[in-house]
Amino acid sequence: MSPLITSILISSLSTGTIITMSSHHWLFAWFGLEMNTLAIIPLISKHHHPRATEAATKYFLIQAAAAATILFASTLNAWTSGQWSILHPTTLPVALMMLIALTMKLGLAPMHSWYPEVLQGITLPTALLMSTWQKFAPLTLLLMMSNDLPQGTLLTLGLLSAYIGGWAGLNQTQTRKIMAFS
């Protein structure tokens, strides 16, 4: 891949994260998340290897399902409340749908089963990029809507992720799988 294309993809990745983190409107947040997804897929499949292609396909399908859920939940929220604002209180079903979609995007337990397999099929620098930069935008959205979630939901998700990740990572010998479970 040429340096020009790589720099365009990295700048698109940065722009998508900045759009999502600075938005207070669900459509702009969704647009930024999709921009992130579409910018990282060529970086995942940069090395023409069947494992990289499989990882890119899995990543795309999971992220597309999560994005569709976010779009549906935000539309349902706009229908019930009349506003597209992220900070506006939502109903419990909408908040739970958003929580499920954002945990899918983040790779948190119990929606984490795709993440180790995707990380195993990509290069280490791309895995580091996915494990750090790709998490900023969905985590920001999760924290912005944390007031709409039931008390202790984020704590429970964090503890469950730490427990399952620690338990599943004990028997791993490959660096990327250990990184995925950590």
Side-chain angles (χ1 to χ4, degrees), residues 60-138:
F60 175 75
L61 290 174
I62 292 296
Q63 297 298 314
T69 307
I70 287 173
L71 197 57
F72 178 69
S74 62
T75 305
L76 189 61
N77 182 41
W79 184 44
T80 58
S81 70
Q83 293 185 357
W84 287 90
S85 175
I86 294 173
L87 301 174
H88 188 269
T90 62
T91 61
L92 186 61
V94 170
L96 291 178
M97 284 175 56
M98 282 292 179
L99 178 71
I100 289 170
L102 290 173
T103 55
M104 281 174 62
K105 282 214 168 269
L106 284 167
L108 290 177
M111 305 292 186
H112 70 286
S113 59
W114 64 273
Y115 195 64
E117 299 303 318
V118 168
L119 280 192
Q120 188 58 36
I122 60 179
T123 61
L124 191 58
T126 309
L128 289 171
L129 186 68
M130 273 186 56
S131 295
T132 55
W133 188 263
Q134 284 293 98
K135 306 294 182 199
F136 289 149

Side-chain angles (χ1 to χ4, degrees), residues 44-45 47-58 117 121-122:
I44 291 173
S45 61
H47 299 287
H48 300 292
H49 190 271
R51 293 191 80 165
T53 306
E54 179 185 353
T57 304
K58 285 179 184 178
E117 299 303 318
I122 60 179

Side-chain angles (χ1 to χ4, degrees), residues 161-179:
S161 264
Y163 179 73
I164 290 176
W167 191 260
L170 283 177
N171 201 23
Q172 300 299 323
T173 57
Q174 298 165 337
T175 306
R176 284 174 286 211
K177 281 208 175 179
I178 292 171
M179 187 170 60

Side-chain angles (χ1 to χ4, degrees), residues 136-156:
F136 289 149
L139 188 62
T140 301
L141 290 177
L142 190 62
L143 292 176
M144 285 173 75
M145 62 170 288
S146 64
N147 292 336
D148 300 334
L149 298 172
Q151 187 82 19
T153 304
L154 292 181
L155 179 66
T156 304

